[in-house]
Amino acid sequence: MRFLRFFADEGEAHLGLRHEGRVLDITLASRRLLAKDIVSFREFMEGESIGPNQLASMLEDIAGSETLQREVLKDPDPLRLDAPLRDVRKLLALAGNYHKHIVESGF
């Protein structure tokens, strides 16, 4: 699963998910299916009405509606991407070759 943020046609940032070669517009899908406004990964993960556990249910609802599929499943090529994480308080990144860099630096 790959989450991303992109700018929708009206210029608003939306949360998306790569799904079967397309991008599921989670922001638009949550508005249509749940009347909720989910625009960030953090809101998605911390939300009570939507989150990892509800994602499968949302995908089932979308699969059952061709109209909804046309609305919320986007071709990834023309999308203008945004930074995937904008509202995090702390971001930790670990490199798999960290020890090698320490040795190279002489520390």
Side-chain angles (χ1 to χ4, degrees), residues 97-105:
N97 59 351
Y98 182 72
H99 184 267
K100 182 179 174 185
H101 287 298
I102 292 174
V103 171
E104 288 174 354
S105 300

Side-chain angles (χ1 to χ4, degrees), residues 3 15 38-54 87-90:
F3 287 90
L15 179 65
I38 306 295
V39 296
S40 75
F41 183 70
R42 185 169 153 206
E43 288 173 333
F44 175 79
M45 294 301 289
E46 293 176 353
E48 294 176 13
S49 61
I50 187 172
N53 296 331
Q54 291 79 15
D87 61 346
V88 294
R89 293 181 210 123
K90 185 186 295 186

Side-chain angles (χ1 to χ4, degrees), residues 19-35:
H19 179 68
E20 298 178 358
R22 293 162 66 188
V23 173
L24 167 61
D25 187 336
I26 292 177
T27 300
L28 187 56
S30 64
R31 288 175 183 164
R32 298 287 189 270
L33 295 171
L34 306 169

Side-chain angles (χ1 to χ4, degrees), residues 85 88-95:
L85 301 172
V88 294
R89 293 181 210 123
K90 185 186 295 186
L91 181 63
L92 301 175
L94 302 175

Side-chain angles (χ1 to χ4, degrees), residues 4-9 11-17 23-28 39 72 74 76 79-84:
L4 55 97
R5 281 173 44 105
F6 65 95
F7 293 101
D9 296 334
E12 177 187 29
H14 282 213
L15 179 65
L17 172 70
V23 173
L24 167 61
D25 187 336
I26 292 177
T27 300
L28 187 56
V39 296
V72 302
K74 313 280 185 188
L79 295 180
R80 191 169 59 109
L81 299 180
D82 188 21

